Amino acid sequence: MYDYFLGGKNNFAADRETAEKALQSWGTVRTAARENRAFLGRAVRFLVAEAGIRQFLDIGTGLPSANNVHEVAQGLVPSCRVVYVDNDPIVLAHARALLTSSPEGRTAYIQADLREPEKILGDPVTRQTLDFTQPIGLMLVAVLHFVPDQDQPRRIVDTLLDALPAGSYLAATHVTAEHDPDTLAGAGRAYQERGLTGQIRTADEFAEVAFRGLDMVDPGLTLVSEWRPRGAGPRPMASEVNTYGGVGRKP
Ligand SMILES: C[S@@+](CC[C@H](N)C(=O)[O-])C[C@H]1O[C@@H](n2cnc3c(N)ncnc32)[C@H](O)[C@@H]1O
């Protein structure tokens, strides 16, 4: 569905059908998807160029698209390493496109579930690709809203962050209903009717799930479109974007 929203070609009739249902309610969801994807690129750029991060654990990767994490990171520093993780078998089918590493760097892919962080951390591919004695950029971009409270998202994030050394970062985004509750309720129903579980959260709830105990990078937790925007062009309204993002540093 996200691929469909972004204008990609790797989607199926069932994806398009549910995506169209969500679009009937949240007419600007494509704007949200584009802004979220643009945040991902800016966050990776910040992490490499300003924070000195050279390795990434990207969970909830999605289908390969423009500006995958390794493309942005290795475009700046070719030796960057990335482990991609998604639980959707369709992503696995397209993973080759995620594995086009620069010769100096490395990319790897594992099919695994965010709700089982120990498996992700313990996977031999993760251990062989990333050096856990050096800071890592953990990416949880547009994935935590697929983890309802009953699946203990805070415990999941704690488990992941505990495994990373001080000086590591978390970049995360999350859908919110704070700016347009009716629209988001309708979109949420479209997902739920197709068995996609999740939870829309407020800024405070998202901050508690993702960023508790981290030092927030300026400008803190904002709409993804307001996080270090490039250029001075007009930006979409909050009620179109409905997605928060932020980057925090593990002290
Ligand atoms: C909206 S896409 C985000 C893609 C990319 N991170 C971005 O923001 O551009 C969400 C992705 O998270 C994946 N996902 C959802 N729940 C997951 C889980 N429990 N474990 C791993 N991946 C999950 C989906 O399969 C999908 O590919």
Side-chain angles (χ1 to χ4, degrees), residues 2 36-37 60-62 86-88 112-115 141-143 146:
Y2 185 64
N36 177 74
R37 190 73 189 174
T61 299
D86 205 288
N87 68 347
D88 182 346
D113 199 300
L114 173 60
R115 289 165 294 186
V141 182
V143 66
F146 293 115

Side-chain angles (χ1 to χ4, degrees), residues 18-247:
T18 309
E20 283 296 338
K21 268 201 150 179
L23 263 165
Q24 279 167 19
S25 179
W26 181 1
T28 60
V29 66
R30 288 202 162 97
T31 304
R34 276 197 302 272
E35 291 294 335
N36 177 74
R37 190 73 189 174
F39 167 95
L40 175 75
R42 295 196 303 277
V44 172
R45 181 168 283 276
F46 163 81
L47 290 171
V48 174
E50 294 185 46
I53 294 293
R54 298 290 179 266
Q55 36 178 10
F56 292 86
L57 179 57
D58 178 27
I59 307 178
T61 299
L63 286 166
S65 181
N67 296 324
N68 300 305
V69 170
H70 75 282
E71 290 162 349
V72 177
Q74 294 180 348
L76 294 162
V77 177
S79 59
C80 285
R81 294 167 166 240
V82 182
V83 171
Y84 290 111
V85 183
D86 205 288
N87 68 347
D88 182 346
I90 301 297
V91 179
L92 176 64
H94 291 272
R96 206 176 304 155
L98 296 172
L99 302 175
T100 54
S101 177
S102 66
E104 301 90 337
R106 193 155 168 208
T107 64
Y109 177 80
I110 55 175
Q111 190 183 333
D113 199 300
L114 173 60
R115 289 165 294 186
E116 297 182 313
E118 294 86 356
K119 279 196 183 160
I120 296 172
L121 293 167
D123 194 291
V125 169
T126 308
R127 292 282 153 185
Q128 283 155 20
T129 310
L130 304 179
D131 174 358
F132 280 78
T133 68
Q134 297 299 315
I136 291 173
L138 172 63
M139 312 298 292
L140 297 176
V141 182
V143 66
L144 283 169
H145 45 237
F146 293 115
V147 184
D149 282 350
Q150 73 227 39
D151 288 334
Q152 299 183 291
R154 181 65 240 178
R155 185 198 71 81
I156 293 169
V157 173
D158 275 341
T159 304
L160 292 166
L161 288 174
D162 284 351
L164 309 184
S168 293
Y169 285 80
L170 168 63
T173 70
H174 200 293
V175 169
T176 187
E178 285 186 306
H179 306 284
D180 195 350
D182 293 344
T183 288
L184 269 289
R189 274 195 300 278
Y191 276 71
Q192 274 161 19
E193 281 165 13
R194 292 306 167 103
L196 291 166
T197 56
Q199 190 165 331
I200 291 170
R201 295 187 172 90
T202 65
D204 287 348
E205 289 165 347
F206 173 39
E208 172 61 21
V209 164
F211 295 116
R212 191 179 67 201
L214 301 185
D215 298 330
M216 295 306 287
V217 167
D218 271 355
L221 194 154
T222 61
L223 286 169
V224 286
S225 43
E226 303 296 327
W227 196 90
R228 300 182 176 230
R230 298 177 91 188
R235 294 197 289 281
M237 291 185 301
S239 58
E240 296 174 308
V241 177
N242 296 314
T243 309
Y244 288 125
V247 176

